[in-house]
Amino acid sequence: MSDSTPLGEFLRARREALKPQDVGLPEHGRRRVPGLRREEVAMLAGVSSDYYMRLEQGRESSPSPQVVDAVADALHLDDEATDHLRRLVRAPQERRTGPAGRDRVNPQLLQLLDSWPDTPAFVVGPALDILAHNALAAALHSGFQRFDNLARMVFVDPAGRDFYQDWDKAAQSCVAEIRAAYGYDPKSPRIAAVVETLSAQSPEFAELWSRHNVKGKTRQAKNLKHAQVGDLQIQFSAFTVNESPHQQLVVYQAEPASPTAAAFAELRSQDDNRQDMREPHESEWIPESTPARDAQAAHRHVASPNDARP
């Protein structure tokens, strides 16, 4: 995080990611700045150069919806990035933030996780903390040091690069998902802590974070490799929890009668390497912060408000 505004950081990063030819402008000679110049974006958006400069410098924080849309068009933002831009210009009181105890998972949702013994499923928070999971999700991720935060697992855990066969895609998705959550709550201490820690531990995370790419969890194919059962081809879907819109339910599915379905059955029957996932533990990767934990059932994590100390 820098001292400039989230809006200014986003506009600057997306401007610098474009080249003149990307927006139909001629490129003459050597350019002193990466990407487009501020005055070029201003011209494309139909605003004055001074006004656009004030936007990037944080001196103009309430542009009209028409200006926001024009800037989004000028920067060639897709729908998700445009929505992210709109969230960044909202007043703080208009943003969607979670109440106290935002990491507590509804007991009915926990029961739903338990009702899927053949399907890995888990709940994540805005910073990709694992707030709750079922037994098969724990078994699937048993090769990691901890099943605590998806971004930490991708970027820092030694198992990440083997487990995620398309590691680059997984890495980009993690960062873009945290960036999307950041747009809802730029002052979130938990997101700030995760970003600061991972940026210090992983240059790749820091570089991807600086791009300001935005992408929420939806439905995708994912290729994984488990040390015990081998290659897995899954479809995952993510669902926003209506009563807790900062939480998402993630479900991994295998095609019926497929090798992956058989591998899930094999994982379910094994009990190796699960004991560490069942024991409450302190997170060591972010000081003074613990991941979600389970005090109610041996096979799932359940977050407590006291676990999310800034």
Side-chain angles (χ1 to χ4, degrees):
M1 311 289 183
S2 73
D3 293 334
S4 62
T5 66
L7 174 61
E9 289 181 344
F10 178 72
L11 292 175
R12 186 178 306 108
R14 300 311 290 261
R15 170 174 62 82
E16 292 177 350
L18 289 173
K19 297 179 181 178
Q21 56 265 36
D22 295 333
V23 296
L25 294 176
E27 184 170 1
H28 300 295
R30 189 173 182 178
R31 301 172 70 87
R32 292 181 297 174
V33 296
L36 297 180
R37 302 184 179 98
R38 289 193 183 101
E39 56 266 28
E40 290 171 330
V41 177
M43 178 191 69
L44 293 168
V47 299
S48 70
S49 296
D50 180 67
Y51 182 86
Y52 182 78
M53 182 180 294
R54 295 202 304 272
L55 278 178
E56 278 203 10
Q57 293 178 343
R59 296 185 289 120
E60 181 62 55
S61 59
S62 299
S64 69
Q66 294 79 9
V67 168
V68 171
D69 289 344
V71 170
D73 287 341
L75 294 174
H76 287 202
L77 302 184
D78 62 18
D79 290 343
E80 286 195 84
T82 299
D83 288 342
H84 180 75
L85 175 61
R86 291 171 181 151
R87 289 191 289 271
L88 291 178
V89 302
R90 290 177 186 165
Q93 63 270 21
E94 297 175 351
R95 296 194 178 108
R96 185 191 75 193
T97 57
R102 59 189 297 169
D103 289 341
R104 186 175 296 279
V105 179
N106 187 291
Q108 290 180 323
L109 183 53
L110 297 177
Q111 292 176 7
L112 180 63
L113 295 178
D114 289 343
S115 71
W116 294 331
D118 301 313
T119 302
F122 52 93
V123 179
V124 296
L128 300 187
D129 292 308
I130 307 297
L131 305 180
H133 61 70
N134 65 10
L136 191 54
L140 178 63
H141 296 89
S142 61
F144 290 90
Q145 294 173 341
R146 296 182 300 278
F147 185 27
D148 57 354
N149 180 284
L150 291 179
R152 186 205 65 80
M153 293 160 66
V154 168
F155 286 95
V156 178
D157 199 298
R161 293 180 188 267
D162 290 330
F163 183 77
Y164 297 101
Q165 295 194 49
D166 191 345
W167 186 88
D168 288 339
K169 182 179 178 180
Q172 292 171 23
S173 294
C174 277
V175 178
E177 289 159 13
I178 297 177
R179 179 64 74 177
Y182 173 78
Y184 286 103
D185 190 6
K187 295 186 180 297
S188 165
R190 181 57 182 166
I191 292 178
V194 169
V195 169
E196 181 180 2
T197 301
L198 289 180
S199 295
Q201 294 181 351
S202 170
E204 290 151 313
F205 179 92
E207 195 278 326
L208 288 172
W209 183 254
S210 71
R211 296 183 189 178
H212 286 252
N213 291 331
V214 180
K215 185 74 174 176
K217 280 188 178 295
T218 52
R219 178 180 175 85
Q220 295 180 21
K222 190 183 289 283
N223 296 320
L224 309 176
K225 186 172 185 177
H226 191 279
Q228 294 175 314
V229 297
D231 294 346
L232 304 169
Q233 296 179 332
I234 67 168
Q235 290 284 341
F236 87 82
S237 299
F239 307 93
T240 299
V241 180
N242 284 343
E243 66 178 14
S244 301
H246 50 277
Q247 296 178 4
Q248 287 190 303
L249 169 64
V250 180
V251 182
Y252 286 177
Q253 293 178 293
E255 289 292 330
S258 66
T260 299
F264 281 177
E266 175 67 18
L267 277 177
R268 185 185 173 193
S269 70
Q270 296 177 359
D271 200 42
D272 296 341
N273 301 322
R274 293 189 187 179
Q275 188 61 38
D276 288 343
M277 305 299 293
R278 295 171 180 170
E279 294 294 335
H281 57 268
E282 293 291 323
S283 173
E284 298 175 356
W285 73 287
I286 296 183
E288 299 184 353
S289 175
T290 61
R293 72 186 62 213
D294 180 13
Q296 302 178 25
H299 60 276
R300 62 175 181 246
H301 288 312
V302 180
S304 164
N306 295 327
D307 290 339
R309 300 190 298 272

